[in-house]
Amino acid sequence: MGALIEKAGGRIVTATYGTDEHRRLLRTLKGETMWPPPVWLMRQAGRFLPEFRALREKADFLTRCMTPDIATEITLQPVRRFAMDGAILFSDILVLPWAMGQSLEFVENRGPVLGAIRSEADLNRLDPKRVPEVTAPVMETLSRLRKALREPVGVAAADTVTLIGFAGAPFTVACYMVDGGGSREFAQTRLMAYQEPGLFDQLIALLTETTTDMLSAQIEAGAQAVMLFDSWAGLLPPLEFRRHVIGATRQIVSELKRRHPGVPVIGFPRLAGGMAAEYARETGVDTMALDTSADLAAVAGQVSPDLVLQGNLDPVSVLAGGQAMLKEALAIREAGRGRPHVFNLGHGVLPTTPPEHVGELIAAIRKVN
Ligand SMILES: Cc1c2[nH]c(c1CCC(=O)O)Cc1[nH]c(c(CCC(=O)O)c1C)Cc1[nH]c(c(CCC(=O)O)c1C)Cc1[nH]c(c(C)c1CCC(=O)O)C2
């Protein structure tokens, strides 16, 4: 196929259709060491770009997630501007409980509000059989995205951008399901884990199975890698962490590997701290995403050299921009040198981040020196 030359985010990219040669993110997620590292940002879709805010007026959040035209467009917006090495599906971790029948609303300035699950009767009202039908539009979005990314998208060259699917990890999704919305402590959820371990195990088992099937469907629809967001993993003490974070993740990863050998899985056990190395060793994830608090160089010394690390610039430094951001960013890039590393943030990009700061960040990461 014809070679293509395109200027992308300040670098020249040559892409040959149908080969892995220029898929820098996918190759890194499969274990190759690249310099400079590939880069994308958590929560890059649907947050900080003015072109997204314009679309936001048109439909509520769940409608945006469930309408392939809109979700495809929002996913591509950051790619068009910055030629990110990855495109993350525009959707949400709470689509899964909603698809099983739990009520869900996104309330302005408050975040998600769900009908809390507190009893076996509540749990039994959920219907996992509905998930494939309800999430069919999400799979349609993924197949459109995969097709769109075979052509140039804005400054991104054809067939260079890796399409990432995702889900919440069972514990984090359970947090929202049981507490009924966002919280700092998720005390109701953790109380259930201690007081009604049988019921909580049932919920985690249900989420483990439905998450596996949903990620598998995402891969079949076109996702080239998948990520498990465990944003609240760090709330659990070691025994519970082993059971509900490591145990559930290990089951999902091993079944995905059986069904889709070679498709990389990224795990993000946010604030796992002292449990991160065990998570890396025991879950089977190919890539571990680090939160802002982790010292990338120190973690690199504790895990297998084959484990891909992703992260972990403070999103607030990108809000600040300028030298403060660049100094942090280049130190992280340097810490990942010589091992497989995907440059990213330590948590999602903040909605008020000026797009020019993101542009400067991407250019600095891609500068070869
Ligand atoms: C915990 C969590 C949620 N959702 C997610 C997590 C894990 C990552 C993290 O810790 O940030 C993950 C998520 N949410 C969204 C994406 C899509 C793609 C992307 O990463 O850019 C992803 C990967 C879109 C979204 N998810 C949500 C929005 C905003 C909704 C709106 O436009 O009103 C978007 C674009 C809503 C949402 N969804 C959730 C909350 C707490 C909120 C409200 C606050 C917020 O905006 O972050 C749950």
Side-chain angles (χ1 to χ4, degrees):
M1 302 272 172
L4 214 136
I5 300 184
E6 196 81 19
K7 209 169 183 333
R11 76 196 159 138
I12 301 290
V13 172
T14 24
T16 308
Y17 183 86
T19 73
D20 264 354
E21 198 181 353
H22 299 288
R23 297 173 186 159
R24 305 183 78 254
L25 175 57
L26 193 59
R27 286 168 62 192
T28 303
L29 293 172
K30 290 183 176 183
E32 259 185 75
T33 299
M34 301 261 171
W35 190 263
V39 53
W40 67 282
L41 306 184
M42 287 196 277
R43 307 293 301 270
Q44 66 188 27
R47 265 201 146 174
F48 70 107
L49 292 174
E51 55 266 37
F52 161 70
R53 293 206 207 97
L55 265 177
R56 198 183 163 147
E57 312 295 311
K58 286 202 192 160
D60 66 39
F61 180 67
L62 275 168
T63 307
R64 294 198 291 274
C65 292
M66 291 298 147
T67 309
D69 273 349
I70 301 179
T72 302
E73 170 56 25
I74 298 174
T75 304
L76 294 178
Q77 284 173 346
V79 174
R80 204 175 278 136
R81 273 201 194 221
F82 305 111
M84 304 289 191
D85 291 289
I88 184 155
L89 169 71
F90 177 75
S91 180
D92 196 80
I93 65 164
L94 302 178
V95 161
L96 177 62
W98 174 73
M100 287 195 277
Q102 188 170 16
S103 69
L104 170 63
E105 229 188 308
F106 287 89
V107 181
E108 193 77 41
N109 300 324
R110 191 167 154 209
V113 177
L114 300 90
I117 304 280
R118 296 287 164 80
S119 66
E120 192 155 4
D122 293 340
L123 187 58
N124 289 336
R125 273 194 290 276
L126 298 175
D127 182 4
K129 290 193 297 298
R130 298 176 58 203
V131 176
E133 198 184 318
V134 180
T135 59
V138 175
M139 307 311 157
E140 169 66 21
T141 300
L142 282 164
S143 42
R144 289 190 195 188
L145 283 166
R146 187 64 186 280
K147 205 166 149 218
L149 292 169
R150 294 205 164 103
E151 307 295 328
V153 174
V155 293
D159 213 28
T160 55
V161 180
T162 299
L163 181 57
I164 306 163
F166 73 91
F171 175 67
T172 287
V173 176
C175 280
Y176 289 92
M177 292 176 81
V178 175
D179 266 73
S183 156
R184 254 168 211 242
E185 292 285 335
F186 290 98
Q188 296 300 329
T189 307
R190 291 188 289 146
L191 260 180
M192 186 192 279
Y194 292 118
Q195 291 183 324
E196 295 175 84
L199 181 60
F200 196 68
D201 279 355
Q202 265 186 61
L203 174 58
I204 294 290
L206 173 68
L207 287 169
T208 300
E209 200 180 311
T210 48
T211 301
T212 305
D213 289 343
M214 191 181 65
L215 287 177
S216 187
Q218 291 186 14
I219 293 166
E220 279 157 21
Q224 294 163 291
V226 292
M227 176 154 172
L228 276 168
F229 285 88
D230 221 341
S231 306
W232 300 106
L235 289 177
L236 290 174
L239 283 180
E240 270 64 35
F241 187 99
R242 287 191 182 109
R243 193 173 179 82
H244 302 304
V245 172
I246 294 181
T249 303
R250 180 173 46 216
Q251 275 189 56
I252 294 170
V253 175
S254 73
E255 183 58 21
L256 287 176
K257 295 285 171 197
R258 195 183 67 75
R259 294 191 208 171
H260 312 281
V263 175
V265 181
I266 308 165
F268 178 41
R270 194 168 75 93
L271 300 175
M275 298 301 287
E278 189 172 324
Y279 178 97
R281 206 168 53 239
E282 302 291 335
T283 57
V285 296
D286 307 276
T287 298
M288 181 162 71
L290 302 180
D291 63 73
T292 303
S293 71
D295 178 347
L296 198 137
V299 175
Q302 291 163 5
V303 299
S304 154
D306 298 333
L307 181 78
V308 185
L309 294 178
Q310 178 173 289
N312 67 341
L313 181 66
D314 184 357
V316 177
S317 81
V318 191
L319 186 58
Q323 282 309 311
M325 166 183 81
L326 295 176
K327 185 169 153 257
E328 294 283 329
L330 293 176
I332 288 167
R333 185 178 79 149
E334 202 50 44
R337 199 194 268 267
R339 60 157 11 267
H341 173 223
V342 175
F343 191 91
N344 205 314
L345 305 182
H347 201 187
V349 63
L350 294 163
T352 49
T353 304
E356 314 78 72
H357 294 186
V358 172
E360 276 173 46
L361 171 66
I362 305 288
I365 295 306
R366 287 190 171 149
K367 205 164 159 215
V368 186
N369 54 23

